[in-house]
Amino acid sequence: MTESATHRVVVIGGGPAAHRFVEAMCTRGTTGTSITVISEEPHLPYDRVALSKALTGDVDLTLGDPALWADPAVTLLTGEPATGIDTVHKVVRTPARTVPYDDLVLATGSAAARLTVPGAERTHVYRTLEDVAVLAAEVARLREELGRAPRAVVVGGGLLGLEAAGGLQDLGAEAAVVNVADRLLNTQVDAGGGQALGRLIAGTGLGVHCSVRPTAVTVDPDGAVTALELEDHEPLPADLVVVAIGVRPRDALARDAGLDTGPRGGVVIDDTCRTTAPGVWAIGEVACFEGRCVGLVAPANTMAEVCADRLHGGGATFPGFDTATRLKLAGVDVASFGDAFGTTEGCLEVVYADPARGLYQKIVVSHDAATLLGGIFVGDAGPYTALRPMLGHELGAEPGAYLSASGGAAPEADLPDEATLCSCNNVSMGTVRAAVRGEDGDPCHDLGALKTCTRAGTQCGSCVPLLKKTLEAELTRSGLTVSRALCEHIELSRAELFEAVRALGLVSFEQVMDRFGRGRGCDVCKPVIASVLASQHAEYVLDAGRGALQDTNDRALANLQKDGTYSVVPRVPAGEITPAKLAVIAAVAEDFGLYTKITGAQRIDMFGARLDQLPDIWKRLVDAGFESGQAYGKSLRAVKSCVGSTWCRYGVQDSVAMAVDLELRYRGLRSPHKLKIGVSGCARECAEARGKDVGVIATDQGWNLYVGGNGGFQPAHAQLLAQDLDDETLVRYIDRYLMYYIRTADRLQRTARWMEDLDGGLDHVRRVVVEDSLGIAAELEEAMSRHVGSYRDEWAATLADPERLRRFRSFVNAPTTADPSTVYVRERGQRRPATAVERAGHLPPGVELAEVPNPEPVVLSGARIPVRDGRAGR
């Protein structure tokens, strides 16, 4: 402490809120100020959010740079609890000293709540590093004494309880969770989310017991725990009971000093973080604002910043609690934010539900479906990163387009500067953009520097994908080179990763991460690695742990729909189909009650299948000679054609035969994005081939080849690559083009955007594909030949293996696998999910309420329909 330090600031508490406050004070300047931190814990402030990591290893959870505590204006007293506050004489007492203050900041946090039942003294809590050390030692002791995995029961199904249970399971215990509420995470997710979450958690091996209340902890004569007694239920065998039923604000010091406290505890503050005593402030979990105390990182950080700003003469105010949360446990991804429960008057809820798969996505919007109010995500929280900063702002598209379960990429949105990018550290989009541009110092042109400068992405990390995207956008606007790193875990671009995997012969996610990655991967790199491996190796995409890497639809080999059911899309090469096969599709749709629709790709979609029905449906289709149309994958979708010279008087080539050949050649080809091909039999272009990634148009002399077209959000016309080609040359050029695209395109980049990014664009592609300027034509053709020779239909492979079928059968005995709250109507002779207006009871003419799907699986068999060389007889 320096002699010039005259304004004395004392902080009671050594947790994350205290750390953030000291950091904020030092950032603003400590000239003329001394800061004394009184902490009863013997450690430097550490990250309580990551406490579970300490259960299974020696992990340093220290927050920030330890050099902070070497600042001459800062004094940290560890292992020294505060015992009293005198607000009249402005001093804090400890067992060792009396510390005077001019301003006092209470950051005493909270303590773990405990059970008040017989035997509760034999339970453990999960709150501090000491608690974690005790639990780890106890599990090790029990395992040695019992000669088996100890049975650990965690009381409490909230964030802390699930983390504790997961950590105990990692230590080798048989863990179970007991929750009084009817679902896990009942303060974060609604009933639909809870149903999906329960299945996911149960799938990790954790026992789940909801709607049960503990009444006693049973111990034997030696004092060892043997069971947890439950009200109106059988006792739950237990060797270890951990209580994680919430926290209670540690407000005793403040209460004894005469400060006002809330009705449920906590030190009352106003929006400046001042308490009712002059010169006393409160931040973090102990602070009670508008009658509430909240134990989350983001509001604690915001309070710390507000308090530091006020002590430096600023006018910052606390805006209220940001209760956005995200949890990742053993692959279970959960997030909620804003008005997650839809309590705003007149609000609308857009829901995608697949309880059987443990997938639930909901966003809450205003009555006009324009403004985002909140959301819940279970199983796939990918949309949370992009949607969280848009809270309170207008969406730029239909709400459903922002949910990954809809099968598409979310529309790009240019968020306003005031939107919050990082909720943990309250960092706005404008702050990040200004840092990239260097408006307040040196520009931050890489992700690491940007995180250090702004603090965005340094706490829970969920905002890092959006932070990276914002960095790239700002660099592009400035005309600077953008990093092509796949994500923070993989420094290589997708193209570089593809070549590295190919050159080294890597065959698994673990091998790729060991060689090129950091950490365990993320929602960005996992699907990319899965796609790269699938493009190079003919292996079933869901085997050997690859299922967890896939996007939502790939995991079910089907497209998820808005009501939690799936669509079934058999491959119909070139749209050519026999009456016998049409009859099979009709019978399947009729027997399973499926809605049918002919698509623009000349295929028949069947909607409304439950997950457990998919094997029965595909058994009939495969027996009839159908294959998966792979409408769910980033791969070839379909080859569209006109009837060509077979029937049409204007056709100059057999477009149907060519389209069938191309579809059978490229089926199952995994790629950076979906692929579509069109073949037209004459210049009239009835197959709309120039709107496809690959377009083939017949001429009197052969075929013209067009590349780089697509429809969708950013339509593009395909460009002429070569003309008047014979059949063999056409196929060779398409082989080269597709394999070159698969090797060099970025993640989720369509062929049109890929060609735009190539130096030289179409001319470059022509030189590589037609002129073989890189000398890799033979290599590209060989790679395609390997794909063609190793192809096997994914649904046929699934049906042939009982273990693979278990993925679809695991929840077949559940009472229902569709969202029970979904309302259906019947229109034009078919059943479909009702719109929001129809659910409110306003049915237009010709529309009537319909029955819900039959919850019982239908098991039927069908006869095989012979086919000739993959084509229907003509």
Side-chain angles (χ1 to χ4, degrees), residues 196-218:
L197 177 61
R199 292 181 180 276
L200 281 177
I201 294 296
T204 68
L206 289 176
V208 177
H209 308 272
C210 291
S211 299
V212 293
R213 184 180 301 276
T215 57
V217 178
T218 304

Side-chain angles (χ1 to χ4, degrees), residues 670-689:
R670 297 278 171 164
S671 55
H673 211 301
K674 61 186 175 185
L675 291 170
K676 296 183 179 181
I677 299 177
V679 183
S680 288
C682 72
R684 291 172 177 261
E685 244 281 72
C686 293
E688 301 168 329

